[in-house]
Amino acid sequence: MIVVMRVDATDDHLDQLVHVLHERGLTPHISRGVERTVVGVVGAASGAGAAGGFALELGALLAGLSGVESVLPVTKGYRLASREAQARPTQVRVSTPAGEVCLGGPGVVIMAGPCAVESEAQLLAAARAARAGGATLLRGGAYKPSTSPYSFRGLGEAGLALLAQARAATGLGVVTEVLSVETVAQVSACADLLQVGARNMANAPLLEAVGRSGKPVLLKRGWAATIEEWLQAAEYILATGNGQVVLCERGIRTFEPLTRNTLDINAIPLLKELSHLPVVVDPSQGTGRRSLVGAVTLAGVAAGADGVLLEIHPEPEAALKDGAQSLGLAAYAALMPQVRAVALALGR
Amino acid sequence: MIVVMRVDATDDHLDQLVHVLHERGLTPHISRGVERTVVGVVGAASGAGAAGGFALELGALLAGLSGVESVLPVTKGYRLASREAQARPTQVRVSTPAGEVCLGGPGVVIMAGPCAVESEAQLLAAARAARAGGATLLRGGAYKPSTSPYSFRGLGEAGLALLAQARAATGLGVVTEVLSVETVAQVSACADLLQVGARNMANAPLLEAVGRSGKPVLLKRGWAATIEEWLQAAEYILATGNGQVVLCERGIRTFEPLTRNTLDINAIPLLKELSHLPVVVDPSQGTGRRSLVGAVTLAGVAAGADGVLLEIHPEPEAALKDGAQSLGLAAYAALMPQVRAVALALGR
Amino acid sequence: MIVVMRVDATDDHLDQLVHVLHERGLTPHISRGVERTVVGVVGAASGAGAAGGFALELGALLAGLSGVESVLPVTKGYRLASREAQARPTQVRVSTPAGEVCLGGPGVVIMAGPCAVESEAQLLAAARAARAGGATLLRGGAYKPSTSPYSFRGLGEAGLALLAQARAATGLGVVTEVLSVETVAQVSACADLLQVGARNMANAPLLEAVGRSGKPVLLKRGWAATIEEWLQAAEYILATGNGQVVLCERGIRTFEPLTRNTLDINAIPLLKELSHLPVVVDPSQGTGRRSLVGAVTLAGVAAGADGVLLEIHPEPEAALKDGAQSLGLAAYAALMPQVRAVALALGR
Amino acid sequence: MIVVMRVDATDDHLDQLVHVLHERGLTPHISRGVERTVVGVVGAASGAGAAGGFALELGALLAGLSGVESVLPVTKGYRLASREAQARPTQVRVSTPAGEVCLGGPGVVIMAGPCAVESEAQLLAAARAARAGGATLLRGGAYKPSTSPYSFRGLGEAGLALLAQARAATGLGVVTEVLSVETVAQVSACADLLQVGARNMANAPLLEAVGRSGKPVLLKRGWAATIEEWLQAAEYILATGNGQVVLCERGIRTFEPLTRNTLDINAIPLLKELSHLPVVVDPSQGTGRRSLVGAVTLAGVAAGADGVLLEIHPEPEAALKDGAQSLGLAAYAALMPQVRAVALALGR
């Protein structure tokens, strides 16, 4: 950590800073420049995993001292999720009736299905189409988060039962969202890959509960989370000893009103650089407009995503949830060969 | 709800729309303009509370139909929280040892205390200074949310005990945050006003649990929540039958890097217009810089806030959490007469 | 245009609205719903090009009337740029010594070169590498915008002379930025494609001046411009009678601090839907990090961009401007076959 | 400037960095930590004004070197605008027929008038009401920027003549916007305080032209400009030798759709801390909703603004521009005593 003093900082200011650092067992290295003094703090960045968080708190404290202009963090609030901690890519392995699906390996994994499970007929039609198009995992929400208390919030336990049935019928693994600590066990019994949604990215008790479930976890980025905050959320799961985490970019909130979210395509290669965890992309949430989903799916694969999460529906016009961003089954079937062509062109 | 057709929409597109509406028992009113056709949907906005949420889902569905350019919602996803449902301002009454504190009445309520409860000495010093400056509620976190798993996360149950002790010693009521459904009962036993933090604004299970606790609730705005989403979160609580909700503006995430958040001052009068619920302001979180807290506190009161939530600390330089945005006790004592002067100038 | 009245709007409010509309020669169509009244305004959307802008002003005025809850625009502020005005894609044809380059046709056009022209040696090395990699246009700034008055602002007229020399030497056409009305003639004498930068997207006098120059124009999106504002900026150029406009997505400003901008990949297919103008992508500005440029270039092509604008430099470490986002010549050479592979996979 | 090396940086990476620094006459100070090496760069922050800009470019360059994780700027891109350069507040003095108006002194200056000059009757009615309410400066646009080419763009030269007439009739000084370098002389002949609008905040040629005009300048913040970028824009004017610059906070672009902009109230005390220039606030643009203007005006004054810029109109319902955010004359008259009461309460 580096503390930059103000141009008008006095020796008393500097003494107070040194005192605060010594109290915490840290060693200041003082450099007096032509204009101002800069103090390096040694000790804060080394040692156990906890140092990262400690450094964050300390930085906030030092920034409030008189005479201090700014504090420049050198360490991050995550460690297990970083490339520095593990250079080789993590491969997340999801068990399905048809065998293991590997996220983070050479292949591009397709996860498709309806936004919400609505009925046996709807789910089975979507699941069969998903498999025919090349998907190996079936997405579908039994518990749905909702902005308004008056919106459809999913079929709950009955939805889980339908997912189990579709899983058995098609051999696809199941990806489904868990909304609360109390339902982690119930949802884990059905899901092959547990989804934590954008609204819950910073819900620490839930992150720790899914971590302890032992299941692989798909962690969506929060609406307005920075990439460092997202990696710190992943760190909550990793710190429970569960290393099977997949990051899912699903768009961020910006000022642009014509799209529901702005898919952050930069995040894909950047996460690959900062972290060893697999990265997938959700063009349905990331755009909110069906007509854009195909192009953005191809963009995600071209940018290096390890997988794609797609909302498809046998009758999007009749969907109870997010119909406007769901692909019809024919549109999905037409898109998949293009996905394969782009993946192949890039050697995947 | 109003559906605007594309200029090139065909009669078939219109027929499909009419069909979808009829299936749902809705009546379309078709207006053929010079350039395009616009369809009003009657029925969607009337009726029970659920209509709002229903309308939202329906709107998304219709937006996905062929030939539809856009769908213009006329109803909102909240109703109980709206001025239309209740014209007179809600007064939230918080019981304290020293009597009832009223939020939403003529007075401006001061809530002050440390970000996190750290020790008996720290909390009592802050509580006494808070009361001396005119506060009637003591804020302080026993359970602290944290971006990094390695940061200080509060004293937990021991912190609640210290809050109870400070409450007895000073007569101040207690405002403290609850992070999970499992701890609602425990925290409610100590808190006079239950706080739901920004990270949990969209955590529906938690909103419903605090609603059912029967305690008054302070609901902070999410980092990146629109005002309509925030009112829908309040609606989750109101829909449980608990009408005692206070909204707390604490800044939103923007591109500006020099402040931790951008306090949305516009939100204060706008919420007063859209809703009957009391509105308070948190200049500590809303700025993240101690030197700005005083000016922004005065601005919040001038804009019409019913109260102020302030982080104060006997020794901000030594704070375990958010020291950089905490006022020292002397600075707090100096600010309070200015707050009273502004409130008085505006007839409060 | 549709005017939604408040639930508590009175007949007087409605009469005032009707009066304002009649004064402007417009016909209100009043629909009284169960809860509220909605007024359609006929006439505003039809007629000459000016109607769009007129409707915008009128909407703002009506929104301020007593009893009005909201005004829902049906028309947009652009017309010539819209797909409705012209269904077939515009092909922008840029003359170069080596023949015409077509943007908006089947091929993907590569525009590469240094951020700023620095010297003959630097420019020629970059230009030769650009051509060898498949570029047909050479980018390079002679006049550079700069946030700080103390930063490098380009070689000016001498830079234009170097561009002319590189053009003659390599046969590449020249893309270069113009910063002011006064230099449009001078820059046009050198440029084959005139660039209007992000800072000037909303600079109406400059847009009209480049429109009247008769040269094709590359119009970058403003830092924080919505897609509709951007299309309205294009409309300024189109309204001068110059239809040769290329839109360049170069990232928008968001809360994410790790990248200089967030490239809005959604914008590419969305612009294709809303407009007939060609769309290109600038992954250098759009990311600000050299290590992300390759992946985001491929993503842009996969999303349907008609071209790519790339900053390359023979010695990025020594660049006077934007070295951190410039590709070295070897990295550029390695990227181009991947670009061709993706383009080919998608039938371009 | 401080360069933080990656954990896996090699000695070769460090040698290259040292080489680049030496080439530029800079001295690296290398600190080898437990985990990583940090290099302080001495020389970059000292010396002439140009050093700030130079440091910015250099930082970008160093960030692109192999082995470098991040570069932490210690200097800023502005100097003349900073508190460090001048500790005492600047007082900007505007000449008016009724005497000098001082911005940045003890008083709060009211600038009021219509968004756009529309007619003699409209302007005179607004000007007389402005003066009666306590304004000393009359605002009004003769040249109006416009997002759409089809919107009203002002009366131009005829509008300037009307402003001159209203100035003579009322004794108020004139604040009016200049949109292009070519019209600086013409507008300066009429204006007592030249306004540079949000769209042109980063238009360097215009900033330099208004600087050289010798007139005091009101510089609005760009839609999406950070505070540091805004101060760098002010620096362009100050660097011409014209020190009479007033900063005007007018709201920034955020994700919130219910308000036209989000007024950044934090910016007012923050600018006072970072700079010696006067700061005023524009609640009309900052909210876009007439019903919010009063509360946000009071908030601005309470936060320490040196003045307020208000849109008022004798008949807002009939305004050609921005009627929805203009106060009627009676509402303005009612607001002014509240403004005075808040100012008085805070000792102004």
Side-chain angles (χ1 to χ4, degrees), chain A:
Chain A
M1 190 176 303
I2 290 153
V3 183
V4 180
M5 304 301 289
R6 294 167 55 97
V7 166
D8 59 3
T10 63
D11 282 355
D12 280 358
H13 292 149
L14 194 59
D15 287 350
Q16 188 193 12
L17 171 65
V18 168
H19 176 73
V20 167
L21 294 171
H22 281 156
E23 272 189 343
R24 280 160 183 76
L26 301 169
T27 310
H29 282 204
I30 300 172
S31 312
R32 294 180 189 270
V34 180
E35 281 215 328
R36 62 178 94 216
T37 297
V38 173
V39 181
V41 181
V42 173
S46 63
F54 172 69
L56 293 183
E57 292 303 326
L58 180 64
L61 189 159
L62 298 180
L65 293 182
S66 303
V68 169
E69 175 156 318
S70 56
V71 176
L72 308 168
V74 176
T75 50
K76 304 157 182 167
Y78 60 94
R79 174 166 296 266
L80 301 173
S82 72
R83 274 277 177 195
E84 294 169 359
Q86 181 188 312
R88 69 172 165 72
T90 285
Q91 300 198 341
V92 171
R93 296 174 181 284
V94 181
S95 299
T96 77
E100 206 173 65
V101 171
C102 173
L103 283 144
V108 173
V109 174
I110 307 298
M111 299 168 269
C115 174
V117 176
E118 296 172 18
S119 69
E120 184 181 332
Q122 172 243 22
L123 185 62
L124 274 175
R128 289 194 174 115
R131 192 186 51 189
T136 50
L137 297 174
L138 171 66
R139 60 151 295 156
Y143 292 99
K144 294 300 305 175
S146 160
T147 302
S148 168
Y150 307 128
S151 293
F152 178 58
R153 292 161 74 180
L155 300 180
E157 211 163 344
L160 294 176
L162 292 176
L163 283 166
Q165 186 184 337
R167 181 179 188 274
T170 60
L172 296 170
V174 164
V175 192
T176 196
E177 182 166 356
V178 59
L179 286 178
S180 64
V181 171
E182 306 92 82
T183 50
V184 167
Q186 187 196 63
V187 178
S188 294
C190 166
D192 300 297
L193 178 60
L194 268 179
Q195 179 178 321
V196 175
R199 277 175 184 77
N200 283 312
M201 189 206 81
N203 184 341
L206 185 61
L207 294 172
E208 294 178 327
V210 298
R212 286 188 298 262
S213 76
K215 286 277 178 179
V217 180
L218 181 98
L219 177 63
K220 289 200 159 187
R221 182 179 187 175
W223 287 344
T226 65
I227 285 172
E228 292 218 341
E229 288 165 351
W230 188 13
L231 288 170
Q232 288 175 77
E235 190 85 0
Y236 267 101
I237 303 171
L238 298 174
T240 66
N242 181 344
Q244 296 281 291
V245 176
V246 179
L247 301 167
C248 178
E249 164 63 33
R250 45 75 74 204
I252 57 174
R253 179 153 278 182
T254 69
F255 59 80
E256 174 57 55
L258 290 185
T259 48
R260 184 171 179 175
N261 291 292
T262 297
L263 191 122
D264 182 2
I265 196 81
N266 295 350
I268 300 171
L270 184 52
L271 285 167
K272 291 283 174 189
E273 194 174 314
L274 299 174
S275 177
H276 50 84
L277 297 173
V279 181
V280 301
V281 67
D282 177 347
S284 307
Q285 283 286 335
T287 63
R289 291 172 78 121
R290 184 187 306 147
S291 60
L292 310 183
V293 167
V296 174
T297 297
L298 298 172
V301 172
D306 295 304
V308 181
L309 192 68
L310 281 171
E311 296 184 9
I312 65 174
H313 197 286
E315 209 183 343
E317 296 75 14
L320 290 180
K321 189 105 191 159
D322 288 347
Q325 71 196 31
S326 297
L327 288 182
L329 303 185
Y332 165 76
L335 177 62
M336 286 301 104
Q338 292 186 288
V339 168
R340 277 189 292 276
V342 169
L344 201 67
L346 297 171
R348 296 191 78 154

Side-chain angles (χ1 to χ4, degrees), chain B residues 39-55:
Chain B
V39 181
V41 180
V42 173
S46 63
F54 172 67

Side-chain angles (χ1 to χ4, degrees), chain D:
Chain D
M1 189 176 302
I2 291 153
V3 182
V4 181
M5 303 301 288
R6 294 168 57 96
V7 167
D8 59 3
T10 62
D11 283 353
D12 281 357
H13 293 148
L14 194 59
D15 289 349
Q16 187 193 13
L17 170 65
V18 168
H19 175 73
V20 167
L21 294 171
H22 281 157
E23 272 190 344
R24 281 160 184 74
L26 302 169
T27 310
H29 283 205
I30 299 172
S31 311
R32 293 179 189 270
V34 180
E35 281 217 327
R36 61 178 95 216
T37 297
V38 173
V39 181
V41 180
V42 174
S46 63
F54 172 67
L56 292 183
E57 292 302 326
L58 179 64
L61 187 159
L62 299 179
L65 293 182
S66 303
V68 169
E69 176 155 318
S70 56
V71 175
L72 308 167
V74 176
T75 49
K76 303 157 183 167
Y78 60 94
R79 177 166 292 267
L80 302 173
S82 73
R83 275 277 177 196
E84 294 169 358
Q86 181 187 313
R88 69 173 165 71
T90 285
Q91 300 197 342
V92 171
R93 297 174 181 284
V94 180
S95 300
T96 78
E100 206 172 66
V101 171
C102 172
L103 283 146
V108 173
V109 174
I110 308 299
M111 298 168 269
C115 175
V117 176
E118 296 171 15
S119 68
E120 183 181 335
Q122 172 244 23
L123 185 62
L124 274 175
R128 288 192 175 116
R131 192 186 52 188
T136 49
L137 297 174
L138 170 67
R139 60 150 294 155
Y143 292 99
K144 296 298 305 175
S146 161
T147 302
S148 168
Y150 307 128
S151 295
F152 178 57
R153 293 161 74 180
L155 299 181
E157 210 163 346
L160 294 176
L162 292 176
L163 283 167
Q165 185 185 339
R167 182 179 187 274
T170 60
L172 297 170
V174 165
V175 192
T176 196
E177 181 167 355
V178 58
L179 286 179
S180 65
V181 172
E182 305 91 82
T183 49
V184 167
Q186 187 196 63
V187 178
S188 294
C190 165
D192 299 297
L193 178 58
L194 268 181
Q195 179 179 320
V196 175
R199 276 175 184 77
N200 282 311
M201 190 206 80
N203 183 340
L206 184 62
L207 295 171
E208 294 178 327
V210 297
R212 286 189 298 260
S213 76
K215 287 277 177 178
V217 179
L218 181 97
L219 177 63
K220 290 201 158 188
R221 183 179 187 175
W223 286 342
T226 66
I227 286 173
E228 291 219 341
E229 289 166 348
W230 189 10
L231 288 170
Q232 288 176 76
E235 190 84 1
Y236 267 103
I237 303 172
L238 298 173
T240 66
N242 181 344
Q244 297 280 293
V245 176
V246 180
L247 301 168
C248 178
E249 164 62 34
R250 45 74 74 203
I252 56 174
R253 179 155 276 183
T254 69
F255 59 80
E256 174 57 56
L258 290 185
T259 48
R260 182 169 178 176
N261 291 292
T262 297
L263 191 121
D264 183 1
I265 195 80
N266 296 350
I268 299 172
L270 184 50
L271 286 168
K272 292 282 175 189
E273 196 174 313
L274 299 175
S275 178
H276 50 84
L277 297 173
V279 180
V280 302
V281 67
D282 177 347
S284 307
Q285 282 286 334
T287 63
R289 290 172 77 121
R290 186 188 305 148
S291 61
L292 310 182
V293 167
V296 174
T297 296
L298 298 172
V301 172
D306 296 304
V308 182
L309 192 68
L310 281 170
E311 296 184 10
I312 65 175
H313 197 286
E315 209 183 344
E317 296 75 12
L320 291 180
K321 188 106 192 158
D322 287 347
Q325 70 195 31
S326 297
L327 289 181
L329 303 185
Y332 164 75
L335 176 62
M336 286 301 105
Q338 292 186 288
V339 169
R340 276 189 293 275
V342 169
L344 201 66
L346 296 171
R348 295 192 80 154

Side-chain angles (χ1 to χ4, degrees), chain B residues 130-215:
Chain B
R131 192 186 52 189
T136 50
L137 297 173
L138 171 66
R139 62 151 293 156
Y143 291 99
K144 295 299 306 174
S146 161
T147 302
S148 168
Y150 308 127
S151 294
F152 178 57
R153 293 162 73 179
L155 299 181
E157 211 162 346
L160 294 176
L162 291 176
L163 284 166
Q165 186 183 336
R167 181 180 188 272
T170 59
L172 297 170
V174 165
V175 192
T176 196
E177 181 166 357
V178 59
L179 287 180
S180 64
V181 171
E182 305 93 84
T183 50
V184 166
Q186 187 197 62
V187 178
S188 293
C190 166
D192 300 297
L193 178 58
L194 268 180
Q195 179 179 320
V196 175
R199 277 175 184 77
N200 282 312
M201 189 206 83
N203 183 340
L206 184 62
L207 295 171
E208 293 178 328
V210 298
R212 286 188 299 261
S213 76
K215 288 276 177 179

